[in-house]
């Protein structure tokens, strides 16, 4: 966890099985300034195991204080994933800037 007060703990994100989606995460600073972001990296965990290669494709991007995730893929109804995003913030490397769970719903609604 960082000590600069900008980590965003997002609420649970929901998706449907088979859906491919991206999320954008804004990284606000406590003082209201816009941080300089670079080199975002995301990890997707399933049951405590790194499953990033299975559940994501593509690359991440940064625009101002906004980080856009890789595209989620191969989602199966009932999957419970945990996403953690790191980035360089104001020249400080490996800062955890966001963390959120993803719940995947079945198309049948069950």
């Amino acid at each position: 966890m960082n000590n600069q007060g900008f980590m965003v703990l997002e609420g649970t994100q929901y998706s449907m099985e088979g859906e491919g989606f991206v999320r954008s995460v804004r990284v606000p600073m406590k003082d209201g300034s816009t941080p300089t972001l670079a080199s975002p990296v995301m990890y997707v965990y399933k049951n405590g195991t790194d499953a990033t290669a299975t559940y994501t494709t593509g690359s991440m991007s940064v625009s101002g204080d906004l980080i856009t995730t890789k595209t989620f893929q191969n989602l199966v109804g009932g999957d419970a994933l945990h996403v953690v995003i790191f980035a360089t913030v104001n020249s400080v490397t490996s800062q955890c800037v966001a963390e959120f769970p993803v719940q995947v719903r079945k198309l049948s609604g069950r």
Side-chain angles (χ1 to χ4, degrees):
M1 179 125 149
N2 66 66
N3 60 4
Q4 297 191 23
F6 52 77
M7 185 169 144
V8 179
L9 178 59
E10 300 284 328
T12 301
Q13 305 294 304
Y14 294 95
S15 182
M16 297 298 289
E17 63 183 343
E19 178 182 29
F21 70 93
V22 297
R23 292 288 185 260
S24 294
V25 177
R26 190 163 305 282
V27 182
M29 297 297 289
K30 282 173 89 172
D31 65 3
S33 65
T34 299
T36 301
L37 301 174
S39 307
V41 177
M42 70 183 282
Y43 297 96
V44 178
Y45 296 95
K46 181 177 180 183
N47 298 326
T49 301
D50 184 353
T52 307
T54 300
Y55 289 103
T56 64
T57 186
S59 59
M60 300 178 71
S61 64
V62 173
S63 178
D65 63 351
L66 193 68
I67 295 174
T68 302
T69 66
K70 294 181 178 184
T71 301
F72 286 83
Q73 65 177 2
N74 301 323
L75 300 176
V76 176
D79 281 345
L81 307 173
H82 188 84
V83 178
V84 183
I85 299 173
F86 294 90
T88 298
V89 181
N90 295 336
S91 299
V92 180
T93 61
S94 300
Q95 298 295 297
C96 184
V97 295
E99 181 174 11
F100 55 90
V102 175
Q103 293 291 322
V104 183
R105 295 182 173 156
K106 295 181 181 183
L107 289 175
S108 65
R110 297 176 189 221

